[in-house]
Amino acid sequence: MNTGFSLAPLFRHSVGFDRFDELLDAALRADQGNGYPPYDIIRESDGRYRIVMAVAGFSRADLDITVQENELKIRGNLPNQDDAERTWLHRGIARRAFERTFKLADHVEVDGADLNDGLLTVSLNRVVPEEKKPRVIPVS
């Protein structure tokens, strides 16, 4: 990692964060700076989230949502339109393909997705298994 600062103090009091350095490096290198399509991330309650993305002009068939490991990918592809028959006086609505990737925390699951009024809503839920929840260790 070539960020100019040391992460050594963070690892002094932690165990098992071997991938933390890689995740931080990937976050610093991530280039999704074009801002298209715009989106919001909303925390509804403890462990429940929504990603709301403005996808004007896209239908359900034009969108592809996949989850693999801890990564959520949302892709949009519009079919080719025959612009030969149209004369555009102003073209202000962005109609271009996109791919947006979100890193999901451990145990975050995608509950579903809905497209309504040009807004794609992806519902997320953090479900921590019983064996991962805090437990009391008796002292013998």
Side-chain angles (χ1 to χ4, degrees):
M1 189 163 112
N2 193 9
T3 60
F5 57 90
S6 173
L7 297 175
L10 294 175
F11 296 117
R12 236 182 286 169
H13 303 288
S14 62
V15 177
F17 284 90
D18 305 331
R19 289 189 20 195
F20 182 76
D21 190 40
E22 296 168 14
L23 290 173
L24 184 59
D25 189 37
L28 292 173
R29 282 186 285 117
D31 184 24
Q32 293 188 0
N34 67 1
Y36 179 77
Y39 66 91
D40 294 330
I41 299 177
I42 302 165
R43 183 172 139 185
E44 291 183 329
S45 63
D46 195 31
R48 296 201 56 80
Y49 305 89
R50 280 188 301 147
I51 298 172
V52 181
M53 186 175 291
V55 291
F58 287 85
S59 70
R60 286 170 177 77
D62 301 329
L63 298 170
D64 181 37
I65 302 170
T66 58
V67 179
Q68 185 174 8
E69 294 177 9
N70 286 5
E71 193 171 82
L72 168 66
K73 281 189 183 181
I74 302 173
R75 292 183 193 95
N77 269 320
L78 286 173
N80 291 334
Q81 296 176 353
D82 187 18
D83 288 342
E85 298 176 9
R86 297 186 178 132
T87 302
W88 294 93
L89 300 178
H90 175 72
R91 196 166 187 176
I93 298 173
R95 290 179 182 91
R96 61 183 183 263
F98 69 88
E99 180 176 310
R100 193 56 90 171
T101 303
F102 299 91
K103 291 284 188 187
L104 301 177
D106 290 337
H107 313 297
V108 172
E109 298 175 354
V110 177
D111 282 346
D114 183 45
L115 180 64
N116 192 17
D117 296 332
L119 295 175
L120 174 68
T121 302
V122 180
S123 301
L124 307 169
N125 189 19
R126 184 176 177 145
V127 180
V128 180
E130 284 298 320
E131 63 270 8
K132 299 288 183 180
K133 290 183 180 178
R135 57 190 172 98
V136 177
I137 307 298
V139 179
S140 56

